[in-house]
Amino acid sequence: MSPTGKFTLRLVIYGAFLLYLVGDLFVWHGFLAGRMDAYLKPLPGPPGDSSARIAEVYGEPVTANQISRRMTELKMLRQPPVLDMEGGIKLTHEPDIPGDLAPRARYDLIGSSLLRLKTSVNDLQLPNRNAEAARAVEQIRSRFDGDTEQYLKTLHGQKLTQEQFQKKIAARLKQTEQLYRATAQAAEASDEDLKTYYNLIRDQLTPPDLRKTRHIFLATLNREEAQVRQTAETLLERLKAGESFSRLAREFSEDERSAPAGGELGWISPARAKETLGLALADVPDNRPVLLKSRWGWHLVEASPVKKGKMPSYEEALPALRDAARSLRKAQAVGLYMDGLFEEAHLRNRIKNKQGR
């Protein structure tokens, strides 16, 4: 075939292919159009959520209701982080959170969607978390004191079945594993860096007065408060009668972290306890159990005499400084990883521009 004939044949083939594309996509809506619709069609929003769509991440919606809930969570989390140190010393600093939480909430939710999608892509490389999720569900269920109806009603209020709830927890655990693996190489701070940081913050430290504290916690969530208080008062009488605080804490306290240690909370700043828990620890008599109320439930609290705060030396501060530096570098690594996900989705500039308006 002559060169002219070959060229003409190619034009005919390409023209036929283009005609087929136009017809499939715009005329008879064929196979290719169906595939495009399936790929581009927005995914449905959360069950029962008909609020406006604020954003879409690969077709997955972020809704106004989700933004509102996330803003509420951020308000609850706006507490100064505490740096726990050996000997009960605590270093605190104020959080850097802007007054308008809407951009932060939107950014968090979009980041969560990106991480969830990234995790689903790597699902086969991540360990199965169903067993841990099942244990978590049982721990949550135990808080309802055997009231299965109330437990299921609470799940229904969140538009979830128990199976969906467990799958959601398992998915969150996998996302945590994905994030951990992606940031596992965050470097440790050198001794020189830690000394430099200590010298920078030393003059800003205001060591608080401390009390060695232990408690027995009884939650009021989904319970009759009067009944919980009656149980707490009964335990208080048993303590006054000489029963072991540690033994009763291990048996009755619902604080899963401190109960195995006999209710021990370590050295706590009374001012900090008032700010974060609403507990008037400063008014508790020395070494005598009393009953206190917080927004989460009732606490049987016992505290030592006050230990006056003192300026920590570098050696005293070192364990906490090392933990703080590790946390900071880990947070930086997480930030860089999430930035990469935003860049990958071509969302970085669009988010910045929208927040700058």
Side-chain angles (χ1 to χ4, degrees):
M1 184 180 292
S2 67
T4 303
K6 290 181 181 179
F7 178 74
T8 303
L9 180 61
R10 287 195 190 99
L11 282 179
V12 171
I13 293 173
Y14 292 154
F17 180 67
L18 287 173
L19 285 173
Y20 173 78
L21 282 180
V22 171
D24 188 293
L25 294 175
F26 302 107
V27 179
W28 59 81
H29 203 77
F31 173 77
L32 292 176
R35 296 289 293 178
M36 290 290 288
D37 286 347
Y39 181 76
L40 297 175
K41 182 180 179 181
L43 296 173
D49 186 349
S50 59
S51 61
R53 296 187 177 209
I54 304 302
E56 286 185 4
V57 183
Y58 294 116
E60 181 177 276
V62 175
T63 68
N65 283 345
Q66 290 176 304
I67 295 287
S68 178
R69 286 195 295 270
R70 182 55 183 157
M71 288 174 64
T72 300
E73 291 172 3
L74 288 172
K75 288 175 184 175
M76 293 175 63
L77 293 172
R78 293 183 71 183
Q79 301 289 352
V82 178
L83 186 59
D84 295 325
M85 302 176 62
E86 295 295 328
I89 302 166
K90 294 179 184 288
L91 308 178
T92 66
H93 62 278
E94 292 299 319
D96 182 20
I97 299 179
D100 182 8
L101 296 176
R104 166 77 180 273
R106 181 170 59 246
Y107 197 88
D108 283 359
L109 288 170
I110 292 174
S112 295
S113 293
L114 289 170
L115 180 59
R116 182 164 55 252
L117 292 168
K118 189 72 171 181
T119 301
S120 67
V121 170
N122 297 326
D123 185 71
L124 295 178
Q125 302 174 24
L126 298 170
N128 185 295
R129 295 298 186 188
N130 292 336
E132 294 97 321
R135 286 196 294 270
V137 168
E138 283 306 310
Q139 288 178 351
I140 294 169
R141 184 171 184 163
S142 68
R143 291 296 180 92
F144 289 81
D145 290 336
D147 190 343
T148 302
E149 184 178 349
Q150 181 61 41
Y151 166 70
L152 294 176
K153 184 178 179 181
T154 301
L155 287 184
H156 180 72
Q158 297 296 317
K159 311 295 184 183
L160 292 170
T161 64
Q162 179 166 292
E163 182 181 2
Q164 290 170 334
F165 185 42
Q166 183 170 322
K167 286 182 177 179
K168 189 172 185 178
I169 293 175
R172 289 286 180 88
L173 291 171
K174 279 197 171 186
Q175 290 166 33
T176 302
E177 177 72 18
Q178 169 70 22
L179 204 55
Y180 170 78
R181 292 187 178 195
T183 59
Q185 300 302 318
E188 292 282 336
S190 67
D191 289 340
E192 184 177 350
D193 289 339
L194 293 174
K195 287 179 181 177
T196 300
Y197 179 59
Y198 174 76
N199 289 330
L200 286 172
I201 68 170
R202 180 173 53 190
D203 294 337
Q204 303 172 27
L205 300 181
T206 54
D209 294 339
L210 302 167
R211 302 189 74 178
K212 192 172 185 180
T213 309
R214 55 184 179 175
H215 79 156
I216 299 172
F217 172 63
L218 301 176
T220 53
L221 177 66
N222 297 310
R223 297 176 182 169
E224 290 290 336
E225 184 166 327
Q227 185 177 356
V228 177
R229 179 169 183 169
Q230 184 178 6
T231 302
E233 289 174 342
T234 300
L235 290 175
L236 181 60
E237 292 304 317
R238 291 173 65 175
L239 289 172
K240 289 180 177 179
E243 290 197 48
S244 166
F245 194 107
S246 297
R247 186 178 64 78
L248 291 180
R250 291 189 183 96
E251 184 176 352
F252 293 102
S253 181
E254 296 172 350
D255 181 351
E256 296 170 359
R257 290 179 297 180
S258 69
E264 294 288 346
L265 297 173
W267 292 90
I268 291 180
S269 161
R272 182 70 180 155
K274 182 70 174 177
E275 177 186 354
T276 59
L277 300 175
L279 293 179
L281 189 58
D283 300 332
V284 174
D286 294 349
N287 300 319
R288 256 190 18 224
V290 296
L291 188 59
L292 298 177
K293 178 74 166 62
S294 76
R295 55 187 169 187
W296 294 285
W298 290 94
H299 305 251
L300 291 151
V301 179
E302 188 176 273
S304 72
V306 174
K307 181 172 75 173
K308 290 294 182 183
K310 67 180 183 68
M311 188 65 65
S313 66
Y314 171 72
E315 287 71 22
E316 290 173 322
L318 183 58
L321 291 171
R322 200 179 299 281
D323 287 344
R326 188 180 296 119
S327 297
L328 178 61
R329 287 171 182 251
K330 189 74 173 178
Q332 290 172 337
V334 168
L336 289 172
Y337 178 72
M338 294 306 299
D339 283 350
L341 293 185
F342 274 84
E343 295 284 2
E344 194 176 295
H346 307 292
L347 286 169
R348 168 66 59 195
N349 290 333
R350 276 183 275 170
I351 295 294
K352 283 185 175 179
N353 291 340
K354 190 169 184 179
Q355 290 180 0
R357 289 175 186 173

